[in-house]
């Protein structure tokens, strides 16, 4: 991989690795919050209106982040990570959308929780790859 | 000079100078005293200390007050006083 | 009222209250009559946004006139004869009602105040 | 006996009324990002508002002068106008942020479009103000705001590591600008000037006299002191729940999770209710503060105890603030961004509104023997220096961290 090349280009014009990393970080935060939300539904310890509205807000954030990443021109070598980040962001949007649509379904919430855990792991690995530029 | 109307805001804006032109500072407050039923201007509180007085930081002592009797002329842009006021000299 | 007091420290910007206790503006300027070499006597108070411009730094005066209006006696600013003042304490107490002194008019309409209008 | 009850009721209302959207946002984010490290900033803000409010209450009780009357009397027209324009602008941002908060919370309760709820929220608040007498107003919002103690309960229930909580109270210098941005934000959120405009005008409106100075001190010390506990409760629970999980509270709707996770639906309801009334109360206080500022500056009749007909321009002014707040919201600015701007910008104007009160509170001509004592006197000046420093660094930090986005 052209690790050193990317480092040199960091910070000029297009989305650099640091910004890409921050984008992935905010996606992880959304995934973590989604898990808390889904837990509440799984244990039936929350209110459906709250879950629906808040899940919708988080899904909106994920969609916005996906679009921002997709539109950005990325520095050479980082575009594979960027595409992966966009894909994960869309999966995150879909999972949170599920929660918004079925805010009181314990079974769907459990599926959403599992999906979010997987997304969180994928994001963590992606973040690691972005950071060390491999 | 006929008795004219002078607004307080105008006094607060004028530079104060002694007869010989030495600057005495700005008017920060105007002290009035009751004289048979009317309030007459006794003097002007002038100079840097005057600002502290206006902010309520220091009390204006009698010697900070420049007597109105010593004011010779109220020109459009300055106030001329007969002699340099004691507090002004100390500045 | 005190025997001796300082106009800016105790009177200027103070709250006007009419005989019924209604707040009716502030002392925005003080009118003195007299001249150098003669007694200078407090003869009146000015209240209203028309009096603001004269009190603001010279370089803002044109903008202030546009924003707050010129000193048009009876509309943007009103004169209260000093004889109408009964006491200068926490507030400036007036002898009569605000309406009788023309002080209850709506002198501040920032909404429809069109600069230069 | 009745007097003690009366005092207690007043203090309880002050506690409930302490927290507003600024405290909720900054304390939850500070806990999520820095864990316990920023706890020391909260007492600094709380001590500041307690001191400032006590002085304003004392000045109002002894001289019958609320804050803006003092500013105009002591600083004159030019400075008075500058402070008025600055505080009206910041006040408008605060009203908009608080109404936005009300809209968001109503949406979380009933799930309907946000703009509809911001409008409904504002109308509801306006009608409440119109009919409920002044004293009742404070009590209504204050008591319901006590539901925020659910966050203190959450903080305790989640079992914090008390050692690091204690260490969090020791001020620590760190190099990150975000850290210092949050220090400023936490202090500024506690020291919102509108609270003091409202408090001192209320003291005049309720015809306080020197006899009420004891209540004034209790209000300041206990009311704000315990109120500050709510802020700490939010920060500690966020440090325990959000920090380890990597959750970043970028929405008001995230904060109730702090109570939902430990206490389920009851916790969620208490949190939503407490936040709704705390923020609703703050919207009322802020719009009144704006109306008080204009009316007191210009010398108009003011005050809620004089029926609307008795104070027409004052009433128009606070309705105007609600309307303008709604208009600002309709531009689509995120209420949380509005909150951060209003909190940080309000601290910039604070020294100019704090100094005149300090000058009058120490002026024997006006205060007689109720002048600043040794503590209030010296601490008063220490805080003036603190405020000037905070005011100077506030905007650079706001820009450097683009409003805490890091």
């Amino acid at each position: 991989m052209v690790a050193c090349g990317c480092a040199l280009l960091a910070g000029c014009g297009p989305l650099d690795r640091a910004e890409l990393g921050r984008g992935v970080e905010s996606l992880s935060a959304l995934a973590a919050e989604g898990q808390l939300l889904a837990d509440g539904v799984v244990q039936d310890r929350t209110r459906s209106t709250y879950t629906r509205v808040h899940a919708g807000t988080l899904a909106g954030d994920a969609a916005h982040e996906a679009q921002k990443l997709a539109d950005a021109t990325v520095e050479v070598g980082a575009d594979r990570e960027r595409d992966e980040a966009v894909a994960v962001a869309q999966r995150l949007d879909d999972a949170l959308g599920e929660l918004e649509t079925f805010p009181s379904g314990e079974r769907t919430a459990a599926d959403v929780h599992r999906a979010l855990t997987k997304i969180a792991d994928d994001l963590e690995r992606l973040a690691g790859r972005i950071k060390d530029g491999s | 000079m006929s008795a004219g109307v002078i607004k307080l805001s105008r006094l607060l804006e004028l530079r104060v100078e002694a007869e010989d032109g030495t600057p005495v500072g700005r008017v920060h407050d105007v002290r009035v005293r009751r004289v048979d039923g009317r309030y007459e201007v006794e003097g002007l509180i002038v100079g840097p200390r005057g600002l502290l007085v206006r902010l309520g930081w220091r009390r204006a002592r009698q010697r900070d007050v420049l007597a109105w009797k010593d004011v010779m002329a109220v020109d459009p842009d300055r106030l001329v006083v007969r002699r340099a006021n004691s507090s002004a000299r100390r500045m | 009222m005190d025997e001796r007091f300082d106009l800016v420290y105790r009177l200027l910007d103070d709250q006007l209250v009419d005989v019924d206790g209604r707040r009716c503006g502030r002392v925005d300027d003080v009118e003195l009559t007299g001249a150098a070499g003669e007694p200078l006597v407090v003869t009146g108070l000015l209240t209203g946004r028309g009096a603001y411009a004269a009190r603001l730094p010279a370089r803002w005066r044109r903008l202030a006139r546009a924003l707050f209006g010129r000193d048009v006696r009876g509309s943007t600013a009103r004169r209260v004869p000093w004889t109408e003042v009964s006491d200068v304490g926490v507030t400036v107490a007036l002898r009569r009602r605000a309406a009788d002194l023309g002080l209850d008019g709506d002198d501040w309409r920032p909404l429809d105040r069109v600069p230069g209008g | 006996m009745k007097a003690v009850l009366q005092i207690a009721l007043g203090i309880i209302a002050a506690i409930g009324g302490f927290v507003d959207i600024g405290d909720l946002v900054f304390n939850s984010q500070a806990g999520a990002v820095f864990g316990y490290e920023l706890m020391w900033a909260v007492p600094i803000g709380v001590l500041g508002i307690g001191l400032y409010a006590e002085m304003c209450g004392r000045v109002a009780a002894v001289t019958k002068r609320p804050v803006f009357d003092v500013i105009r009397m002591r600083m004159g027209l030019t400075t008075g106008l500058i402070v008025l324009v600055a505080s009206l602008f910041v006040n408008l941002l605060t009203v908009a942020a608080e109404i936005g908060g009300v809209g968001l919370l109503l949406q979380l309760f009933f799930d309907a479009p946000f703009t509809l709820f911001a409008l409904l929220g504002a109308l509801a608040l306006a009608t409440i103000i119109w009919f409920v007498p002044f004293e009742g107003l404070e009590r209504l919002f204050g008591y319901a705001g006590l539901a925020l103690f659910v966050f203190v309960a959450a903080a305790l229930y989640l079992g914090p590591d008390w050692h690091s909580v204690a260490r969090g109270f020791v001020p620590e210098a760190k190099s990150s600008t975000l850290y210092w941005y949050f220090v400023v934000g936490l202090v500024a959120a506690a020291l919102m000037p509108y609270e003091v405009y409202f408090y001192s005008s209320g003291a005049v409106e309720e015809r306080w006299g020197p006899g009420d100075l004891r209540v004034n001190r209790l209000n300041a010390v206990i009311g704000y002191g315990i109120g500050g506990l709510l802020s700490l409760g939010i920060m500690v629970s966020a440090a325990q729940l959000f920090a380890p999980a990597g959750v970043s509270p970028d929405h008001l709707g995230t904060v109730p999770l702090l109570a939902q996770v430990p206490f389920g639906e009851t916790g969620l309801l208490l949190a939503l209710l407490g936040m709704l009334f705390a923020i609703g109360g703050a919207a009322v206080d802020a719009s009144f503060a704006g109306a008080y500022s204009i009316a007191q500056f210009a010398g108009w009749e003011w005050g809620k105890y004089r029926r609307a007909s008795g104070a027409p321009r004052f009433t128009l002014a606070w309705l105007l603030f609600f309307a303008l707040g709604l208009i600002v919201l309709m531009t689509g600015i995120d209420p949380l961004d509005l909150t951060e701007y209003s909190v940080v910008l309000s601290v910039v104007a604070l020294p100019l509104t704090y100094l005149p009160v300090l000058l009058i509170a120490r002026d024997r001509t006006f205060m007689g023997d109720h002048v600043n004592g040794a503590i209030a006197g010296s601490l008063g000046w220490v805080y003036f220096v603190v405020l000037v420093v905070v005011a100077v660094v506030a905007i650079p930090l706001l820009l450097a961290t683009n409003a805490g986005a890091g």
Side-chain angles (χ1 to χ4, degrees):
Chain A
M1 286 295 291
V2 185
C4 54
C6 306
L8 282 176
L9 289 172
C12 52
L15 203 69
D16 64 11
R17 284 188 171 279
E19 274 149 16
L20 186 57
R22 267 199 296 281
V24 168
E25 217 178 275
S26 65
L27 289 173
S28 315
L30 288 171
E33 191 169 342
Q35 283 176 305
L36 285 182
L37 215 53
D39 278 349
V41 180
V42 167
Q43 299 154 26
D44 188 20
R45 299 178 74 242
T46 186
R47 273 169 61 87
S48 58
T49 32
Y50 170 74
T51 307
R52 178 183 308 123
V53 173
H54 197 50
T57 309
L58 298 180
D61 278 8
H64 174 66
E65 195 62 42
Q67 197 203 343
K68 210 171 70 175
L69 289 169
D71 293 349
T73 54
V74 187
E75 64 175 45
V76 170
D79 43 18
R80 208 156 57 72
E81 279 88 359
R82 184 271 302 270
D83 296 345
E84 226 184 288
V86 171
V88 176
Q90 269 145 1
R91 279 166 48 204
L92 180 57
D93 181 4
D94 296 344
L96 291 166
E98 256 322 88
L99 205 55
E100 182 187 6
T101 322
F102 305 101
S104 48
E106 276 134 42
R107 214 170 37 70
T108 40
D111 300 343
V112 166
H113 190 279
R114 262 192 305 283
L116 288 175
T117 312
K118 173 113 186 38
I119 288 170
D121 297 344
D122 295 349
L123 284 169
E124 208 176 327
R125 268 196 306 282
L126 179 56
R129 287 205 345 258
I130 292 173
K131 205 172 335 32
D132 57 33
S134 61
Chain B
M1 269 194 320
S2 74
V5 166
I6 305 171
K7 285 204 278 192
L8 174 60
S9 51
R10 182 148 169 265
L11 284 181
L12 296 175
E13 206 178 26
L14 293 176
R15 288 191 335 284
V16 180
E17 280 173 9
E19 254 177 309
D20 51 20
T22 54
V24 174
R26 281 303 238 302
V27 174
H28 289 292
D29 213 330
V30 173
R31 173 153 297 174
V32 294
R33 195 162 62 83
R34 190 186 2 233
V35 172
D36 48 54
R38 319 187 300 184
Y39 274 88
E40 283 183 17
V41 171
E42 184 178 60
L44 311 176
I45 297 174
V46 183
R49 188 178 158 66
L51 180 63
L52 291 179
V53 166
R54 192 148 69 80
L55 283 177
W57 183 257
R58 282 284 176 280
R59 305 233 36 71
R61 292 182 306 262
Q62 205 49 31
R63 53 189 171 77
D64 290 320
V65 180
L66 190 140
W68 178 253
K69 306 197 292 314
D70 293 337
V71 171
M72 292 176 55
V74 181
D75 296 344
D77 59 351
R78 65 190 185 118
L79 210 64
V80 182
V81 290
R82 198 174 314 288
R83 48 171 178 69
N85 169 280
S86 57
S87 72
R89 252 199 317 283
R90 226 182 332 79
M91 246 188 326
Chain C
M1 222 182 294
D2 292 351
E3 190 55 31
R4 168 186 282 116
F5 63 91
D6 297 345
L7 293 182
V8 175
Y9 185 67
R10 289 299 301 278
L11 184 60
L12 192 60
D13 291 312
D14 206 354
Q15 172 78 56
L16 290 170
V17 175
D18 77 0
V19 70
D20 298 341
R22 262 184 73 80
R23 297 182 178 94
C24 48
R26 283 188 179 280
V27 177
D28 295 315
D29 212 330
V30 178
E31 183 192 85
L32 305 164
T33 307
E38 288 170 27
L40 185 62
V41 178
V42 175
T43 49
L45 305 177
L46 290 181
T47 177
R49 55 193 166 83
Y52 284 7
R55 291 201 40 212
L56 294 172
R59 61 186 180 287
W60 291 6
R61 202 144 294 162
R62 221 165 48 75
L63 173 67
R65 278 207 191 89
L67 274 179
F68 302 117
R70 313 181 61 77
D71 177 352
V72 177
R73 258 346 121 75
S75 102
T76 63
R78 273 168 211 78
R79 179 181 180 276
V80 177
W82 179 250
T83 48
E84 290 293 341
V85 173
S86 61
D87 184 27
V88 173
V90 173
T91 59
V92 175
L94 300 174
R95 295 191 196 286
R96 289 192 291 158
R97 292 199 8 252
D100 306 339
L101 297 163
L103 296 180
D104 60 345
D106 195 344
D107 64 349
W108 184 312
R109 291 176 306 285
L111 285 182
D112 63 11
R113 171 76 228 145
V114 175
Chain D
M1 185 40 210
K2 178 187 171 313
V4 172
L5 181 64
Q6 202 59 26
I7 295 171
L9 290 175
I11 293 171
I12 295 169
I15 298 171
F18 174 85
V19 169
D20 70 357
I21 193 168
D23 299 303
L24 284 159
V25 167
F26 272 99
N27 281 284
S28 60
Q29 287 184 355
V33 177
F34 291 99
Y36 304 111
E37 289 170 13
L38 278 166
M39 295 185 66
W40 58 275
V42 175
I44 291 183
V46 170
L47 184 61
I49 190 74
L51 185 77
Y52 187 27
E54 191 281 330
M55 259 196 294
C56 286
R58 186 156 29 97
V59 166
V62 171
T63 67
K64 304 293 183 285
R65 290 182 194 281
V67 173
F68 247 87
D69 185 90
V70 166
I71 291 173
R72 176 82 196 264
M73 274 295 290
R74 187 44 43 138
M75 309 297 275
L77 185 70
T78 309
T79 317
L81 264 178
I82 294 167
V83 172
L84 177 70
V85 170
S87 68
L88 289 181
F89 172 69
V90 167
N91 219 49
L92 178 60
L93 295 184
T94 308
V95 170
E98 307 284 355
I99 292 181
V102 166
L104 288 172
L105 286 162
L106 287 175
Q107 195 182 17
L108 289 169
F109 262 114
F110 306 114
D111 176 22
F114 164 70
T115 38
L116 170 67
F117 271 110
L119 192 66
L120 271 180
L123 287 180
L125 289 176
T127 26
I128 290 174
I129 299 173
W130 194 274
F131 293 107
V132 177
F134 189 80
E135 186 123 282
L137 206 59
E138 258 176 274
R139 297 285 151 76
L140 170 70
F141 287 104
Y143 294 145
L146 291 174
L148 290 177
F149 268 95
V150 73
F151 291 118
V152 176
L156 298 174
Y157 179 84
L158 292 164
D161 156 13
W162 290 107
H163 173 64
S164 36
V165 166
R167 218 154 26 86
F169 277 105
V170 175
E172 200 191 315
K174 290 177 80 91
S175 58
S176 104
T177 49
L178 190 62
Y179 178 85
W180 290 108
Y181 171 73
F182 272 107
V183 169
V184 167
L186 288 166
V187 172
L191 267 161
M192 291 297 276
Y194 77 82
E195 290 177 14
V196 166
Y197 297 156
F198 187 82
Y199 180 71
S200 68
S201 305
V204 175
E205 191 140 16
E206 285 164 23
R207 292 186 174 75
W208 279 17
D212 299 292
L213 291 185
R214 204 164 52 82
V215 171
N216 179 49
R217 246 192 318 283
L218 288 174
N219 259 338
V221 172
I222 301 176
Y224 286 107
I226 299 184
L229 205 61
L230 295 175
S231 296
L232 288 173
I234 295 164
M235 188 187 291
V236 169
S237 45
Q240 289 165 263
L241 203 60
F242 290 160
V247 169
S248 144
D250 297 334
H251 297 285
L252 204 54
T254 312
V255 178
L257 285 174
L258 294 175
Q260 186 273 326
V261 171
F263 303 127
E265 187 165 356
T266 334
L268 175 65
L269 277 175
L270 279 174
L272 289 172
L273 187 74
M275 288 167 72
L276 178 65
F277 276 89
I279 295 176
V284 170
D285 290 3
S287 60
F288 261 72
Y292 281 133
S293 313
I294 304 174
Q296 287 158 15
F297 180 87
W300 304 337
E301 193 50 83
W302 54 269
K304 177 116 175 40
Y305 65 89
R306 303 208 177 201
R307 286 308 317 138
S309 57
R313 265 171 271 155
F314 171 75
T315 314
L316 175 71
W318 66 256
L319 282 172
L320 193 67
F321 256 95
F322 265 101
L324 288 176
L326 275 171
I327 292 168
V328 168
L329 272 176
M330 296 312 155
T331 61
I333 306 175
D334 173 357
L336 259 58
D337 291 342
L338 270 177
T339 301
E340 298 207 20
Y341 298 138
S342 83
V343 166
V344 174
L345 291 178
S346 70
V347 88
V348 175
L350 196 50
L352 273 180
T353 54
Y354 179 90
L355 181 62
V357 173
L358 187 55
L359 287 174
I360 276 227
R362 60 183 302 288
D363 186 335
R364 201 164 283 284
T365 325
F366 287 89
M367 296 295 284
D369 47 25
H370 298 297
V371 81
N372 267 356
I375 311 158
S378 49
L379 213 53
W381 285 108
V382 166
Y383 252 89
F384 180 61
V385 171
V386 167
L387 290 183
V388 169
V389 168
V390 170
V392 165
V393 300
I395 293 190
L397 281 173
L398 179 73
L399 300 177
T401 60
N402 67 56

